Amino acid sequence: MTNADYHEMEHPMAHTLARFAVSAPRRTSGIAFFRAAVAAWRQRRALERLDANARRDLGLTRADVARESARPVWDVPQSWLV
């Protein structure tokens, strides 16, 4: 086994990802941002309605839920905007 074979076995994604060019981040359309904001708002409202057992199952405290619910509607994960 050559060194290149060993490296490919240990880090297969490194070679896969190297084929793709890194580009500048794309601008988000207004519609995509609006949809993401509405989705975040709905999910945060649903999070507030969870009972104590459901929060415990998710590993969340009341403080966690309050903190997430207080976030502004436009504060959404960047991955949702692509």
Side-chain angles (χ1 to χ4, degrees):
M1 176 184 295
T2 67
N3 190 20
D5 293 335
Y6 177 76
H7 182 69
E8 181 134 353
M9 286 175 41
E10 287 293 311
H11 306 285
M13 291 302 294
H15 294 287
T16 303
L17 295 176
R19 291 185 286 157
F20 299 102
V22 176
S23 61
R26 295 187 316 179
R27 295 188 66 178
T28 304
S29 74
I31 293 172
F33 182 79
F34 178 75
R35 287 180 178 167
V38 169
W41 178 80
R42 286 181 177 162
Q43 290 179 20
R44 289 171 183 155
R45 298 301 73 83
L47 189 61
E48 288 177 324
R49 292 189 301 266
L50 293 177
D51 64 0
N53 291 329
R55 284 194 314 267
R56 189 173 40 251
D57 287 346
L58 294 172
L60 299 173
T61 64
R62 283 186 187 178
D64 295 333
V65 171
R67 186 174 36 256
E68 181 65 25
S69 298
R71 289 173 59 185
V73 69
W74 58 84
D75 188 7
V76 296
Q78 192 66 27
S79 62
W80 289 14
L81 302 176
V82 182

